[in-house]
Amino acid sequence: MNKELTIDMLAAVKKPARYTGGEFGSIYKEEAEVRIALAFPDVYEVGMSYLGFKILYHLVNKMDGIAAERAYAPWIDMEQLMRERNVTLTTLETKKALSECDLVGFTLQYELSYTNILNMLDLGGVSVLAAERGEEEPFVVVGGPCVFNPEPLADIFDFAILGEGEEALPEVLSCYQGWKREGRPGGRKGFLHRVVKIPGVYVPSFYDVSYNEDNTIQSVTPNTPDAPATVTKRVVADLNKVDFPTAPVVPFGEIVHDRIMLEMFRGCSRGCRFCHAGMVYRPVRERRPEVLREIAHKQVDNTGYEEISLVSLSTADYSCLGPFLDEMIADFKDRKVSVSLPSLRIDAFSVDVAKKVQAVRKSGLTFAPEAGSQRMRDVINKGVTEEDLLHAVSAAFENGWKKVKLYFMIGLPGETDEDVLAIAQLARKVQWKFKEITGKGGCQVTVSASSFVPKPYTAFQWAPQDTLEEIHRKQGLLIEATRLKNITFQYHDGQTSIMEGVFARGDRRLGKALYLAWQRGQRFDGWADVFDFDRWQQALKDCGLDPDFYSHRQRGEGEVFPWEHLQPAVNRGFLANEYKKAQKEILTPDCRQGNCNGCGVCQRLGVPVMDWGNRSYDASKETNFVSLAEKMAGGDNCSYSIATQRPGLPGKGGSAE
Amino acid sequence: MKLRFQITKEKEIRFISHLEYVRTIGRAIRRAKLPAAYSQGFNPHMKYSLASALGVGVVSYAEFVELELAEPVNPLAAAEAFMKALPRGIRVLAVDAVETNAPALMSVAGGAEYRVTIPWTGDIASAVDDFNRAETVMFEKQAPKAKEKVKKIDVKFYISDLSAIKRENETELHFHCRITHNGSMKAVDLLNTLNEQYGLQLPVEKADIERLDLYRVDEMGNRWPMLDSLFEQG
């Protein structure tokens, strides 16, 4: 086996530092009983920016006798050289071929990275199909957000871990260690029968899928008593009690997110109906401010980074963001470390926050109204009005900002041309607001419109996706409507959205097309310059599959979905009701501020929402709510004491409705 | 006060670009908590610089970083802290402290010493002899971005002589290369010159190039170390 990337190979490719490792903070364990490759199915700069693997890398490497190493997809230039010279894909640390590892773990971040998984396995000397993997080969395990419908990859991976990995992955690795020490009883099958007993573990080969005549799913049933009928995701109940990396790997080159990523909380309770992350990462669990500050200090010491990004699905919703930011800025001012937020909420508070973190630099502000018309924003439960947006941009313009970027989606369920054109009108209104406030023209507005892709476990999982023709037509409408001074229109390639849609709600039968497309040269499908739509269409056709069946079909109310045995613990009834409310343009308020909406997550997981601001909770008592109003009256709505919302109890405080 | 460090860029990290190397040094200085001086303004920058840009893939034992300090430190203690904050493949070999207004390091470098190892065992002796005896050896250097732009340089102005050692399965070249205010020439271009002028077939892309030293040169042609080292190792 040839594993060496020689001088002439490295000299011939772009960004050779992608392949050589040795970064500060990387962990080398030459001797290890169990070795797992954390394999990211995209290039180094993308994979190195992924927080999930940063967390797992450090967590696993703290375990005795177990090593976690990193592997990334070689870019096309390097792949070509590797194939020409028969060089195997290895981990960056101890240069183990993927085939020499005990486990290879892939994260499923994005449907269009699936071909890279097949390609990396092949380059790493691992059999691509799980059924063909020999006794000496590694187990292929997957996780990440798309794991709630990994069915198109069911032929490829051996097992999956649903939900958060901090507790589940060490359990799986210890299970493997035990099995290996005992001399691998029962072979590969033996291990799978063991590991499936760990909550959150899904073994696709333990389930049989049957289909109806109309090609929809009839049932997904376990074929062994060891496999549960449904697998429910794992979550960490209290994020303050799990390890967060304090000395992450510091890359040499610039990666996509080249800064400290401080994870403020997980989950989002806003309930936007298009949002996959908003459903599958529930419930909201915040880290305590003092825990976050301690992590931040250690990370600055250990990395030398100049910027801390406060990350989460919606950082402006962190309950104590105001005081927390003030403390962070004060803490790090003298050390020349800046604090930033990846996204802003559409309100004046967020502009205030932006003012604090950006100090004097006035680059653009970005807001995401998601839809142009109020009607559509109500359909998607965005809970933001035009007034909110104009209020927010007014605050921004009053504070000196001159550039605004607005994110939208087109192709949302029930969208009319009027709704599409409202996007351009909203951009114009932002420009008028600028003129009104500053008395000048010249406000730069960038309008970015992506094409909506319905995802599993969202209210829109039943909805048809726009056809390619329809996407192009709507994009055309906006191109025309935004042909205005100082408005820039950005949009995404519709073809990739269609393929993303096929795989997002796909089933096991797609595995054949995936394999065929990869064999015919597909990889890096998320990269528009490499993606080949026609080749995908041909592969689907050659496998007797109709892409429209997956993407453009209105699914029946009672239809069994291919992913229902894999549970993020959101009730189907809740989602169905949300879909109905969407059609009636009725809003559902944020459960953090009001009543439980019955999504079912807290109750089914037995894990409450953790929010440090609104309510205080005394651990010694079962329930002792202090309402938001009472707390406010006490002038102390940000006490850093434990505050949790117990599921199933009547909530108090304001309601957004 | 300014600190000057002689540091390495060794095998493990030879393929990081100059920019990546510079950023890595900056972060290591921050991790070492050296009291660096920063520029004024809204976007303050740490005041540090590297003496020369090294080609990607070239190993070096003579990189020089100059760091302006906001307050004086013990150079030896600083070197120790810096060393601990560096990734594998970068070591501190020497340290020196100078006044803040001392001239920038880059302006004093007069020459560099190279060793090039090539997995090739053809006959090189006569080419080396011819090269060493020649008055001038011209090389057409292509500008990196505009292919049609060609600059003629006299290799002998930069490299007066070279020596070669033949081993079982490789050949090692050894030479010094002059550095002027107007620049220098790349080691790899010497190999291209040898191929073009003497009909050799050195596999240039497989060459293992190492910069062994960088030094000052006085009017008499004497070589002096870049630093008046207070500390030295390796």
Side-chain angles (χ1 to χ4, degrees):
Chain A
M1 196 189 311
N2 188 2
K3 294 197 288 186
E4 200 195 347
L5 299 174
T6 53
I7 288 176
D8 54 324
M9 290 172 82
L10 288 162
V13 298
K14 277 183 275 177
K15 301 187 184 177
R18 285 169 168 171
Y19 310 106
T20 52
E23 310 93 323
F24 192 80
S26 52
I27 301 167
Y28 287 61
K29 285 185 173 177
E30 290 296 338
E31 299 299 321
E33 203 181 343
V34 178
R35 203 176 299 275
I36 180 168
L38 299 176
F40 194 96
D42 209 315
V43 289
Y44 176 89
E45 304 90 271
V46 177
M48 275 293 287
S49 303
Y50 171 48
L51 183 60
F53 272 178
K54 287 183 206 280
I55 292 171
L56 296 177
Y57 183 77
H58 284 83
L59 192 90
V60 171
N61 277 320
K62 281 189 178 170
M63 296 173 76
D64 268 344
I66 302 184
E69 306 194 7
R70 296 163 299 146
Y72 302 96
W75 185 244
I76 289 157
D77 54 355
M78 180 56 104
E79 184 197 338
Q80 194 188 338
L81 292 177
M82 289 169 75
R83 290 201 184 275
E84 274 168 25
R85 298 168 192 213
N86 213 7
V87 176
T88 309
L89 178 64
T90 69
T91 57
L92 287 184
E93 282 81 3
T94 64
K95 314 287 182 210
K96 295 283 182 295
L98 297 188
S99 60
E100 293 174 292
C101 298
D102 294 281
L103 300 106
V104 180
F106 285 98
T107 177
L108 311 182
Q109 294 289 308
Y110 179 40
E111 292 80 359
L112 296 187
S113 66
Y114 291 173
T115 44
N116 279 5
I117 295 177
L118 279 64
N119 205 36
M120 284 174 78
L121 287 172
D122 188 53
L123 283 168
V126 180
S127 302
V128 172
L129 297 172
E132 290 175 4
R133 239 162 257 149
E135 286 298 332
E136 293 305 311
E137 292 199 64
F139 285 96
V140 176
V141 50
V142 297
C146 296
V147 84
F148 294 104
N149 181 24
E151 291 299 279
L153 285 165
D155 295 342
I156 310 296
F157 66 93
D158 293 295
F159 66 99
I161 300 174
L162 273 60
E164 294 163 12
E166 278 110 330
E167 291 163 349
L169 184 59
E171 289 169 28
V172 165
L173 293 172
S174 298
C175 172
Y176 180 89
Q177 195 173 27
W179 174 77
K180 196 175 178 182
R181 275 183 192 166
E182 289 167 38
R184 303 167 183 262
R188 292 182 78 82
K189 264 258 150 88
F191 173 69
L192 292 176
H193 277 276
R194 265 192 204 196
V195 80
V196 78
K197 296 196 175 102
I198 296 173
V201 170
Y202 167 54
V203 179
S205 59
F206 287 172
Y207 295 79
D208 294 326
V209 183
S210 60
Y211 301 92
N212 295 313
E213 266 180 28
D214 65 358
N215 276 326
T216 56
I217 304 285
Q218 187 176 55
S219 66
V220 180
T221 41
N223 55 30
T224 160
D226 285 340
T230 60
V231 182
T232 303
K233 75 167 179 182
R234 295 288 295 272
V235 290
V236 171
D238 185 353
L239 287 183
N240 299 296
K241 291 183 181 148
V242 292
D243 215 44
F244 191 81
T246 51
V249 178
V250 185
F252 293 112
E254 207 166 336
I255 58 172
V256 177
H257 298 294
D258 203 12
R259 53 191 76 93
I260 290 171
M261 290 163 85
L262 190 62
E263 189 193 32
M264 310 285 287
F265 62 94
R266 282 190 199 156
C268 175
S269 51
R270 301 209 142 233
C272 297
R273 293 183 178 122
F274 58 85
C275 183
H276 183 245
M279 288 298 141
V280 303
Y281 290 121
R282 289 179 169 210
V284 167
R285 287 145 297 144
E286 294 187 342
R287 276 202 171 84
R288 299 172 68 102
E290 63 271 23
V291 171
L292 289 168
R293 276 172 73 192
E294 192 191 326
I295 296 167
H297 277 279
K298 285 184 182 162
Q299 283 223 20
V300 169
D301 286 349
N302 293 332
T303 63
Y305 268 126
E306 308 82 356
E307 185 183 344
I308 303 170
S309 180
L310 308 180
V311 302
S312 65
L313 291 174
S314 168
T315 298
D317 287 343
Y318 184 70
S319 57
C320 298
L321 189 64
F324 177 70
L325 260 181
D326 291 340
E327 285 170 355
M328 288 286 286
I329 291 164
D331 277 8
F332 292 106
K333 200 177 165 217
D334 290 343
R335 298 186 69 182
K336 307 280 190 299
V337 178
S338 64
V339 179
S340 68
L341 268 69
S343 63
L344 290 179
R345 219 163 53 186
I346 301 178
D347 54 24
F349 168 74
S350 289
V351 175
D352 203 43
V353 163
K355 217 165 85 186
K356 275 184 197 166
V357 299
Q358 290 218 355
V360 190
R361 268 180 291 160
K362 293 279 190 279
S363 54
L365 280 190
T366 302
F367 297 104
E370 314 287 4
S373 68
Q374 192 56 47
R375 194 186 76 78
M376 277 321 289
R377 283 193 297 271
D378 291 347
V379 168
I380 63 176
N381 198 40
K382 182 64 188 175
V384 163
T385 62
E386 187 174 300
E387 206 187 336
D388 292 334
L389 177 69
L390 294 178
H391 196 64
V393 294
S394 298
F397 297 149
E398 275 157 11
N399 285 292
W401 271 280
K402 293 185 181 70
K403 274 192 211 169
V404 173
K405 186 165 185 176
L406 302 174
Y407 274 107
F408 297 96
M409 278 178 287
I410 54 170
L412 288 160
E415 185 180 58
T416 63
D417 286 358
E418 208 176 306
D419 296 318
V420 174
L421 292 169
I423 290 173
Q425 284 153 17
L426 200 55
R428 287 290 285 156
K429 284 175 191 164
V430 168
Q431 285 189 322
W432 291 333
K433 201 70 190 175
F434 182 80
K435 188 144 199 199
E436 185 188 312
I437 286 169
T438 66
K440 289 180 276 190
C443 171
Q444 300 277 343
V445 179
T446 302
V447 173
S448 170
S450 54
S451 304
F452 169 66
V453 178
K455 296 280 164 118
Y457 291 111
T458 64
F460 295 148
Q461 63 180 346
W462 286 271
Q465 183 182 3
D466 268 357
T467 60
L468 188 58
E469 295 69 39
E470 191 63 0
I471 292 171
H472 286 159
R473 196 184 63 78
K474 287 177 179 173
Q475 285 174 343
L477 285 178
L478 274 180
I479 290 169
E480 283 302 315
T482 55
R483 212 165 263 169
L484 295 162
K485 204 177 166 194
N486 294 327
I487 295 186
T488 312
F489 178 53
Q490 296 175 343
Y491 55 100
H492 293 267
D493 167 40
Q495 295 181 333
T496 52
S497 301
I498 297 289
M499 285 315 300
E500 183 186 336
V502 168
F503 278 94
R505 293 186 294 170
D507 56 39
R508 286 189 182 190
R509 290 170 296 193
L510 282 171
K512 279 200 172 59
L514 179 66
Y515 190 82
L516 194 60
W518 163 70
Q519 278 194 320
R520 291 175 180 175
Q522 283 300 121
R523 61 223 185 285
F524 286 107
D525 291 305
W527 297 70
D529 47 339
V530 185
F531 179 78
D532 185 339
F533 188 62
D534 295 337
R535 189 145 63 182
W536 268 114
Q537 295 296 305
Q538 192 58 47
L540 288 162
K541 203 174 155 199
D542 292 348
C543 294
L545 296 165
D546 174 14
D548 295 359
F549 171 81
Y550 296 104
S551 49
H552 306 315
R553 185 170 56 89
Q554 172 70 51
R555 282 157 168 79
E557 209 181 321
E559 179 173 336
V560 177
F561 296 133
W563 52 84
E564 280 182 279
H565 55 304
L566 306 168
Q567 283 294 329
V570 179
N571 290 337
R572 183 174 167 131
F574 167 76
L575 295 173
N577 193 36
E578 282 296 297
Y579 189 37
K580 280 188 195 129
K581 284 169 87 176
Q583 285 154 338
K584 292 180 192 153
E585 300 159 27
I586 299 171
L587 291 174
T588 300
D590 187 336
C591 66
R592 245 164 123 173
Q593 299 162 357
N595 293 322
C596 171
N597 295 316
C599 76
V601 173
C602 294
Q603 292 84 350
R604 284 172 66 187
L605 299 177
V607 173
V609 167
M610 272 200 186
D611 177 312
W612 305 109
N614 293 349
R615 298 170 185 87
S616 80
Y617 168 70
D618 180 343
S620 65
K621 293 176 195 162
E622 189 51 34
T623 53
N624 61 347
F625 269 63
V626 178
S627 77
L628 179 59
E630 284 168 278
K631 292 293 292 182
M632 299 275 277
D636 179 30
N637 74 333
C638 266
S639 67
Y640 289 167
S641 59
I642 297 178
T644 60
Q645 185 190 355
R646 293 262 128 175
L649 288 168
K652 283 192 176 178
S655 158
E657 221 167 13
Chain B
M1 178 178 174
K2 281 200 290 197
L3 286 179
R4 289 169 169 179
F5 300 96
Q6 180 178 356
I7 57 173
T8 61
K9 182 182 181 191
E10 295 173 61
K11 234 182 159 136
E12 299 95 317
I13 57 151
R14 70 192 311 168
F15 278 101
I16 71 173
S17 71
H18 180 65
L19 184 65
E20 290 168 347
Y21 187 69
V22 171
R23 289 155 50 94
T24 300
I25 300 304
R27 286 188 183 145
I29 292 168
R30 292 171 61 87
R31 288 193 290 266
K33 295 192 176 171
L34 302 183
Y38 280 81
S39 65
Q40 297 296 309
F42 299 135
N43 197 4
H45 283 287
M46 195 198 292
K47 291 187 173 173
Y48 76 107
S49 60
L50 268 89
S52 68
L54 195 67
V56 177
V58 179
V59 162
S60 173
Y61 298 96
E63 294 305 291
F64 293 88
V65 57
E66 193 166 74
L67 172 68
E68 194 179 319
L69 297 174
E71 53 189 82
V73 291
N74 174 340
L76 293 177
E80 207 164 305
F82 187 31
M83 196 130 62
K84 280 186 192 146
L86 287 165
R88 268 174 291 263
I90 308 179
R91 285 178 298 143
V92 179
L93 297 184
V95 63
D96 183 15
V98 295
E99 293 299 314
T100 303
N101 57 11
L105 254 185
M106 188 56 219
S107 63
V108 303
E113 181 186 0
Y114 286 95
R115 176 171 64 203
V116 178
T117 313
I118 316 158
W120 179 85
T121 51
D123 180 27
I124 198 167
S126 60
V128 168
D129 273 355
D130 288 352
F131 179 88
N132 288 345
R133 253 181 274 146
E135 285 281 312
T136 58
V137 177
M138 297 311 285
F139 175 69
E140 289 192 349
K141 194 175 156 188
Q142 280 184 335
K145 280 188 182 138
K147 283 264 156 79
E148 64 283 359
K149 267 194 189 169
V150 175
K151 194 176 138 196
K152 275 196 173 178
I153 59 164
D154 180 8
V155 178
K156 290 286 285 190
F157 172 78
Y158 295 103
I159 301 163
S160 62
D161 62 305
L162 54 105
S163 62
I165 306 164
K166 225 165 111 173
R167 296 219 186 81
E168 199 182 329
N169 44 23
E170 61 187 24
T171 301
E172 186 183 295
L173 296 177
H174 194 269
F175 56 91
H176 288 262
C177 184
R178 186 192 286 193
I179 299 171
T180 71
H181 289 290
N182 296 324
S184 184
M185 73 170 279
K186 284 180 171 177
V188 68
D189 282 338
L190 172 71
L191 305 183
N192 287 324
T193 306
L194 293 175
N195 280 350
E196 282 171 24
Q197 300 292 326
Y198 304 103
L200 300 183
Q201 283 172 335
L202 304 172
V204 177
E205 68 288 353
K206 290 183 180 166
D208 175 359
I209 303 168
E210 297 168 280
R211 182 196 273 174
L212 302 179
D213 202 4
L214 195 73
Y215 45 79
R216 291 179 285 185
V217 181
D218 66 18
E219 295 88 348
M220 307 294 289
N222 297 313
R223 292 168 187 158
W224 297 90
M226 292 286 281
L227 305 184
D228 301 318
S229 305
L230 296 166
F231 151 91
E232 222 165 320
Q233 83 154 40

